[in-house]
């Protein structure tokens, strides 16, 4: 590169192919969703048996699920970094093995602490290594159909929850909860098969953001439409950093000018070479770190607001599925009918994900607006849950909850891609999950604490509903920030157009005067 041209190189994903093999990636992601979050949602059947076996509190038993959920979130950035360092395929295969080992060891647990470490921590760690790289690959393989692809992939969570909930109840009745965990451990070995399906996408290229538009050699038309504004902003930030660095160097040179005049020219040249080498090493280190973990995301205000939405949403996402079966049992509903409530919820969850994912793909409204509406509805439905007491009423609640939950989950990853750009989705997904881990960890225990204090499982649903409505407020803030960004972008484009129109007129006027 010419020394007069200042820039930086960054590896970004080329335009997503939307090709034939993308559907195999979708199949892999479908199964990963089912064998991770689908299993967590169906774990409410185990909750009742473990609660009875160890004669513990609702809070104590709920820590198993909350530790698994929190571990998935906390380890997500590690999974992203490992995928960049090695490969998505190897990380997912390793995660599948860890999942299986954790659940199998949990079958031999002698107390709740051992269940926390095995079914909670080890299983959650393995789920993070499988879920994060697979979802990232799905985002790279799809562009035009990305909302529908995310919705279809997440439908695996619904279908496997629908199938696994009665299956777990049958296995528990036949082999006890320990035998059922052994069979579940064998089932989760299929995560390794999902990893084998992840063929690397070899369509990355070097992009150079130059200071001068004539010399940068970068056509934003080559980038996906979602990323063009992000790439322009990245170039402007790189230019500003380069100018600031030049200013600092200039000031240091001015301060040491008198001293430098009395120094040997050879010493000055050696110092210049050493300074250049240090700059090169720092630039290489920064590039290497950004390749694995894009820590600059924490300076993105819109990303941080969306992450706060994730924290409060996680407080309410996981508690209802865990406590729905115990709540039904406390109302006198028999075992298989209680388990059927989860299946009803999963069936409507599936419909909600596919249908509202298709609606999102039509782009009738902004994605953030659609997500805000569904989150508000989800919180309202949970607040109404304690009014249900009979099986028919609980079935209606389960159907409404599953439908709105599916509509919410179908697009929240797509919204994240719009906030940061698909080229940063891997790191963004890892950081988003890490920040959201607080809500995933504390949600079920806080709900369990309310249940223990009030001796009523309905209070857990009230807590979840309030948390989701609070999370929707952050989405409203994000929508306002998006409008400001779009307004400022439009203003800058108009000013640039005016300048371009005025310059030919000025040239013509000068020629006339001549």
């Amino acid at each position: 590169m010419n020394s007069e041209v200042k820039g930086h190189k960054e590896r970004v994903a080329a335009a997503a192919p939307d090709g034939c093999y993308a559907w195999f990636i979708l199949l892999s992601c479908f199964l990963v969703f089912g064998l991770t979050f689908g299993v967590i949602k169906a774990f409410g059947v185990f909750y009742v048996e473990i609660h009875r076996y160890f004669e513990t509190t609702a809070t104590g038993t709920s820590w198993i699920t909350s530790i698994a959920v929190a571990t998935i979130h906390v380890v997500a950035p590690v999974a992203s970094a490992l995928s960049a360092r090695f490969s998505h395929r190897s990380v997912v295969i390793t995660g599948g093995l860890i999942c299986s080992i954790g659940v199998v060891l949990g079958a031999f647990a002698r107390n709740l602490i051992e269940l926390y470490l095995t079914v909670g921590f080890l299983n959650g760690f393995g789920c993070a290594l499988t879920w994060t790289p697979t979802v990232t690959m799905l985002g790279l393989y799809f562009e035009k159909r990305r909302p529908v692809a995310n919705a279809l992939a997440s439908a695996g969570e619904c279908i496997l929850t629908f199938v696994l909930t009665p299956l777990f109840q049958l296995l528990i009745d036949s082999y006890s909860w320990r035998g059922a965990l052994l069979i579940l451990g064998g089932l989760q070995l299929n995560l390794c098969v999902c990893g084998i399906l992840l063929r690397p996408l070899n369509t990355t290229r070097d992009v150079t953001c130059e200071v001068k538009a004539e010399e940068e050699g970068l056509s934003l038309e080559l980038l996906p439409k979602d990323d063009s504004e992000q790439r322009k902003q990245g170039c402007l930030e790189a230019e500003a950093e380069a100018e600031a660095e030049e200013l600092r160097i200039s000031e240091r040179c001015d301060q040491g000018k008198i001293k430098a005049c009395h120094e040997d020219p050879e010493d000055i040249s050696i110092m210049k070479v050493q300074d250049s080498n240090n700059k090169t090493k720092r630039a290489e280190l920064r590039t290497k770190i950004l390749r694995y973990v894009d820590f600059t995301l924490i300076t993105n205000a819109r990303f941080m607001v969306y992450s706060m939405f994730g924290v409060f949403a996680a407080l309410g996402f996981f508690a209802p599925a865990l406590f729905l079966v115990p709540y039904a049992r406390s109302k006198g509903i028999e075992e298989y009918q209680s388990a059927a409530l989860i299946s009803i919820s999963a069936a409507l969850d599936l419909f909600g994900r596919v249908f509202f994912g298709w609606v999102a793909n039509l782009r009738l409204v902004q994605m953030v607006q659609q997500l805000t509406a569904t989150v508000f509805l989800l919180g309202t439905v949970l607040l109404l849950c304690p009014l249900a007491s009979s099986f028919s009423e609980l079935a209606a609640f389960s159907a409404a909850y599953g439908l709105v939950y599916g509509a919410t989950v179908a697009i929240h990853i797509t919204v994240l891609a719009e906030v940061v750009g698909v080229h940063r989705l891997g790191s963004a997904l890892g950081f988003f999950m890490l920040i959201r881990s607080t809500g995933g960890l504390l949600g079920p225990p806080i709900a369990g604490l309310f249940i223990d204090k009030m001796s009523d499982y309905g209070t857990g649903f009230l807590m979840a509903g309030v948390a989701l409505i609070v999370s929707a407020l952050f989405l409203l803030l994000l929508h306002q920030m998006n409008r400001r960004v779009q307004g400022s972008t439009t203003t800058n484009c108009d000013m640039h157009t005016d300048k371009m129109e005025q310059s030919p007129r000025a040239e013509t006027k000068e020629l006339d005067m001549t």
Side-chain angles (χ1 to χ4, degrees), residues 236-481:
L236 292 175
E237 291 175 358
E239 179 181 348
E241 290 177 2
E243 291 177 353
E245 183 66 23
E246 286 182 351
L247 182 60
R248 287 194 294 269
I249 293 173
S250 177
E251 290 176 352
R252 287 198 299 267
C253 290
D254 290 340
Q255 292 173 359
K257 187 180 293 184
I258 297 175
K259 182 179 178 181
C261 290
H262 299 285
E263 292 180 353
D264 189 353
E266 294 183 359
D267 294 338
I268 295 175
S269 62
I270 293 174
M271 291 175 62
K272 288 182 178 179
V273 171
Q274 291 176 347
D275 188 50
S276 176
N277 291 336
N278 291 334
K279 289 180 184 177
T280 303
K281 290 179 180 179
R282 286 196 298 268
E284 290 177 353
L285 179 61
R286 178 184 173 86
T287 303
K288 185 177 294 185
I289 293 174
L290 288 176
R291 186 180 300 171
Y292 301 136
V293 180
D294 190 355
F295 58 86
T296 60
L297 284 166
I298 61 177
T299 63
N300 187 323
R302 292 192 300 155
F303 172 73
M304 294 306 296
V305 169
Y306 192 71
S307 297
M308 291 308 300
F309 150 75
V311 171
F312 283 92
L315 284 171
F317 269 169
F318 302 102
L322 180 62
F323 294 117
L324 181 57
V325 172
Y327 176 69
R329 297 283 289 274
S330 70
K331 297 297 181 180
I333 298 173
E334 60 99 11
E335 295 177 355
Y336 282 94
Q337 281 187 330
S338 299
L341 294 174
I342 296 290
S343 297
I344 293 171
S345 175
L348 271 296
D349 188 355
L350 171 62
F351 176 78
R353 295 185 192 219
V354 176
F355 177 75
F356 287 99
W358 172 74
V359 170
N361 209 59
L362 296 177
R363 311 283 179 175
L364 299 176
V365 296
Q366 292 186 19
M367 210 79 71
V368 175
Q369 292 177 311
Q370 181 176 333
L371 182 61
T372 304
T374 57
V375 172
F376 264 121
L377 284 174
L378 183 59
T380 304
V381 168
L382 289 175
L383 291 177
L384 296 175
C385 176
L387 300 178
S389 56
S390 64
F391 176 75
S392 58
E393 292 173 345
L394 282 171
F397 161 77
S398 299
Y401 168 74
L403 180 66
V404 186
Y405 181 87
T408 302
V409 175
I411 58 174
H412 80 286
I413 294 177
T414 307
V415 173
L416 176 62
E418 289 188 350
V419 170
V420 300
V422 68
H423 59 284
R424 305 171 79 185
L425 180 59
S427 292
L429 189 60
F431 273 111
F432 177 73
M433 296 288 283
L434 175 63
I435 297 171
R436 202 176 75 165
S437 64
T438 307
L441 176 66
L442 298 179
I446 291 176
L449 182 63
F450 278 104
I451 292 169
D452 290 333
K453 293 293 183 182
M454 306 297 293
S455 299
D456 182 7
Y457 280 99
T459 56
F461 293 90
L462 294 176
M463 185 280 297
V466 171
L468 282 164
I469 290 176
V470 172
S471 72
L473 299 178
F474 286 96
L475 290 177
L476 289 175
L477 176 60
L478 177 63
H479 177 58
Q480 293 299 319
M481 296 173 71

Side-chain angles (χ1 to χ4, degrees), residues 95-273:
L97 290 174
I98 295 175
C99 271
S100 179
I101 292 171
V103 174
V104 169
L105 291 177
F108 302 98
R110 293 165 295 181
N111 51 57
L112 281 178
I113 301 297
E114 293 180 359
L115 281 174
Y116 296 159
L117 294 174
T118 54
V119 181
F121 176 73
L122 275 181
N123 185 39
F125 191 90
C127 287
L129 295 184
T130 56
W131 186 83
T132 310
T134 309
V135 173
T136 303
M137 286 287 284
L138 185 71
L140 295 176
Y141 264 91
F142 282 93
E143 180 184 357
K144 295 179 180 178
R145 302 185 182 93
R146 189 177 296 136
V148 173
N150 283 325
L152 291 175
S154 65
E157 177 184 336
C158 315
I159 293 178
L160 266 74
T161 301
F162 180 85
V163 173
L164 292 177
T165 303
L167 176 62
F168 286 163
Q169 187 64 60
L170 178 63
L171 292 175
I172 289 171
D173 291 342
S174 303
Y175 305 107
S176 79
W177 65 270
R178 295 184 184 273
L181 281 180
L182 285 174
I183 296 173
L184 174 59
L187 184 64
Q188 287 192 312
L189 283 174
N190 287 288
L191 290 169
C192 299
V193 180
C194 297
I196 294 173
L197 289 174
L198 299 182
R199 189 173 69 185
L201 182 63
N202 297 319
T203 55
T204 57
R205 65 181 183 275
D206 288 333
V207 176
T208 306
C209 295
E210 310 294 350
V211 175
K212 296 183 180 179
E214 307 86 15
E215 299 171 330
E216 59 184 15
L218 172 64
S219 175
L220 291 174
E221 295 176 356
L222 296 175
L223 295 172
K225 292 182 180 179
D226 295 54
D227 299 343
S228 60
E229 294 299 328
Q230 295 285 341
R231 185 59 56 200
K232 290 178 183 177
Q233 185 65 26
C235 293
L236 292 175
E237 291 175 358
E239 179 181 348
E241 290 177 2
E243 291 177 353
E245 183 66 23
E246 286 182 351
L247 182 60
R248 287 194 294 269
I249 293 173
S250 177
E251 290 176 352
R252 287 198 299 267
C253 290
D254 290 340
Q255 292 173 359
K257 187 180 293 184
I258 297 175
K259 182 179 178 181
C261 290
H262 299 285
E263 292 180 353
D264 189 353
E266 294 183 359
D267 294 338
I268 295 175
S269 62
I270 293 174
M271 291 175 62
K272 288 182 178 179
V273 171

